[in-house]
Amino acid sequence: MRKLIRGAALAVVLSFFAPTIHARELAVGLGASVTSADPHFHALNPNVALHDHIFEYLINQDAEQRLVPALATSWKAIDATTWEVKLRQGVKFHDGSTFDAEDVLATLKRVPWVPNSPSAFTIYTKSIAQTIVVDPYTIRFKTASPYPLLPNDLSNFFIINRKYVEASTEDFNRLKATIGTGPYKLVEFVLGERYVLERFDGYWGPEEPWEKVTFRQINSAPSRVAALLAGDVQLIENVPTADIESLKKNPDIVLSQGVSNRVIYFHMDHQRPTTPFITDKQGKPLDKNPLQDLRVRQALSKAINRNGIVARVMEGVAIPAGQLLPESFFGTSPNLKPMEFDPEGAKKLLAEAGYPNGFRLTLHASNDRYINDSRIVQTVAQMYSRIGIDAQVEVMPWATYATRATNREFSVFLVGWGSGTGETSGSLRALLACWDPARGMGTANRGRYCSKEMDGLLADALSTIDEKKRAQILAKASEIAMNDVGIIPLHYEVTTWATRKGLKYNARVGQETLAMEVRPTK
């Protein structure tokens, strides 16, 4: 079904003087902030990566997002609206209790219950209309209409122990409920500092080589590199693009690199009649929201030199974007290319929209979540000045930024999204479908873009069994949203990890940093 850009793992193995790597312990420097130990609280890549060690999915995704068995050993459609899943027997939770279908039921009950979720996992559970337990290791999922993507959805929410169906997020953060079936147990969780794991010797799968794994939160990129070079950690994620060339030449270091499924983009405030961070040149609020005018959104997109950002900000380690996923992914459109850089055209559009002299705009972004996020937004602000927009920039740590973005405090703001399902419908459902929590749609649509035409096509695609037809419908839905400038895509991230000599990291399309992907090379 899927044509992924195959990780393109680039391994550079060089000799080195270096520190001793304890065969049984691994220290990792994280560049992006974990926000919770609750596996159902926030659909955020750093959280998911940590939880991946502790909990498991029914169906897993390998490094290239191909579906592989996990807590489910097999799955099949037995009629148009029913999927039957066989569960793995002999699986134990970290507390010694036995996994079976009741834990799946408890999970499906808890996912929509978690309060105050900034980005809920209901996008992956709402399609399940009924769950039938045939026996402790056979379960059937009924959907309201044909739904071929259910196996993809089952690979996106973690299974918890039935004992903790009513556990609060705080119960997980305090380790009271953090009892999974994964290869590691969480033994220490100090938010913003460190997360310590111990190998679970009762794990059903292959034994992990690491008895202890310590994830250290090192959001500062220079500090993260320094920690690696000093041997304080053996692996870092989000290697700064400016350091890649020098690290390649370092005989102590091994790099792994791959194209990701993450698009970096601007959300815009589509819904409110006035928007808080766009004013006239004197700072007076405008009487209407210019972002509701397609010509203004097109102008903001045309004013961005994506090739320039990739070359000068991303050091060539990114790919200009014109849609939600790189073209090789399932459901993308060959007709959608990165918007051509055209500042004169952008000025003309602004004039036609009634803003010949531009306006004042504040761009918001995090400064510790995405690769070069604060530099990107600073560069775009400079580009906007060329079309008469006085753009200011405000950046802040992700922990603060995510909450404010979810509360819709901004007008134009930088974010990123990786497709958890490895195809286009997952991104459309989360980012561009009309916001409807009851249906699990638009769960991360912080700009509240809404197109009934796009939603209709998306619904058609989700119930279309024929893969060729589904891909065509998704491509058409993407064209509607992108041509309407529902978001402004900038580029796809290329992710780089660095390890000390003697280790190798297997690059993942989903950008997760996992101890399970680190292996000694000798």
Side-chain angles (χ1 to χ4, degrees), residues 31 132 195 208 254 291 452:
I132 301 169
Y195 321 108
E208 286 297 307
V254 179
L291 299 172
K452 296 299 183 184

Side-chain angles (χ1 to χ4, degrees), residues 262-275:
R262 181 173 305 282
V263 62
I264 300 298
Y265 65 96
F266 280 111
H267 256 324
M268 294 165 287
D269 179 5
H270 286 264
Q271 189 181 51
R272 291 176 287 193
T274 60
T275 193

Side-chain angles (χ1 to χ4, degrees), residues 291-361:
L291 299 172
Q292 293 182 329
D293 190 316
L294 173 61
R295 294 166 295 186
V296 173
R297 299 197 300 273
Q298 291 172 327
L300 293 178
S301 186
K302 283 179 177 289
I304 297 173
N305 182 351
R306 291 167 177 78
N307 290 328
I309 290 174
V310 168
R312 293 193 290 275
V313 179
M314 304 303 291
E315 320 285 343
V317 189
I319 299 171
Q323 54 187 314
L324 294 164
L325 283 162
E327 202 171 302
S328 56
F329 280 75
F330 184 87
T332 55
S333 169
N335 300 320
L336 292 172
K337 305 297 181 185
M339 181 76 80
E340 182 179 353
F341 175 49
D342 180 10
E344 292 305 315
K347 284 195 286 189
K348 183 179 179 182
L349 284 166
L350 282 181
E352 290 174 0
Y355 305 98
N357 299 314
F359 43 73
R360 183 181 293 179
L361 163 67

Side-chain angles (χ1 to χ4, degrees), residues 185-244:
K185 300 180 290 185
L186 183 63
V187 297
E188 187 176 9
F189 182 78
V190 183
L191 191 62
E193 294 186 18
R194 63 186 180 278
Y195 321 108
V196 182
L197 305 170
E198 290 182 357
R199 189 174 65 197
F200 174 42
D201 291 330
Y203 182 56
W204 60 268
E207 182 180 85
E208 286 297 307
W210 315 112
E211 291 182 350
K212 179 180 178 182
V213 179
T214 301
F215 288 101
R216 292 176 52 191
Q217 197 75 63
I218 311 176
N219 290 29
S220 163
S223 298
R224 205 160 55 248
V225 173
L228 177 72
L229 294 175
D232 294 337
V233 298
Q234 290 84 51
L235 165 68
I236 63 170
E237 64 178 10
N238 294 352
V239 175
T241 54
D243 292 328
I244 289 175

Side-chain angles (χ1 to χ4, degrees), residues 259-289:
V259 177
S260 78
N261 62 13
R262 181 173 305 282
V263 62
I264 300 298
Y265 65 96
F266 280 111
H267 256 324
M268 294 165 287
D269 179 5
H270 286 264
Q271 189 181 51
R272 291 176 287 193
T274 60
T275 193
F277 285 99
I278 297 182
T279 68
D280 67 16
K281 292 292 186 71
Q282 288 70 48
K284 181 181 176 182
L286 299 179
D287 58 4
K288 62 180 179 181
N289 178 358

Side-chain angles (χ1 to χ4, degrees), residues 52-191:
D52 227 328
H53 298 80
I54 306 155
F55 302 94
E56 291 183 285
Y57 304 103
L58 288 179
I59 300 172
N60 208 354
Q61 296 181 5
D62 69 9
E64 297 180 353
Q65 288 197 288
R66 292 172 298 211
L67 299 182
V68 295
L71 291 177
T73 56
S74 65
W75 52 94
K76 64 180 180 181
I78 58 174
D79 61 42
T81 58
T82 307
W83 284 86
E84 183 174 274
V85 174
K86 293 290 187 181
L87 303 181
R88 189 177 299 279
Q89 300 187 35
V91 175
K92 297 291 185 181
F93 284 95
H94 299 160
D95 63 358
S97 56
T98 300
F99 160 77
D100 66 25
E102 293 299 320
D103 301 300
V104 180
L105 289 179
T107 298
L108 290 171
K109 182 178 179 181
R110 186 175 188 272
V111 167
W113 170 80
V114 177
N116 303 316
S117 170
S119 180
F121 287 85
T122 48
I123 184 177
Y124 305 118
T125 61
K126 282 294 184 181
S127 63
I128 300 173
Q130 184 184 8
T131 306
I132 301 169
V133 175
V134 178
D135 62 49
Y137 296 100
T138 305
I139 198 162
R140 289 177 181 166
F141 298 111
K142 303 282 289 187
T143 57
S145 58
Y147 189 60
L149 289 173
L150 187 65
N152 299 67
D153 285 0
L154 297 180
S155 70
N156 275 282
F157 59 89
F158 291 104
I159 303 300
I160 61 164
N161 190 309
R162 76 194 75 173
K163 298 176 185 175
Y164 306 111
V165 61
E166 296 182 350
S168 67
T169 293
E170 193 55 31
D171 287 335
F172 282 89
N173 290 341
R174 292 176 178 172
L175 308 190
K176 178 181 176 182
T178 320
I179 309 297
T181 60
Y184 290 95
K185 300 180 290 185
L186 183 63
V187 297
E188 187 176 9
F189 182 78
V190 183
L191 191 62

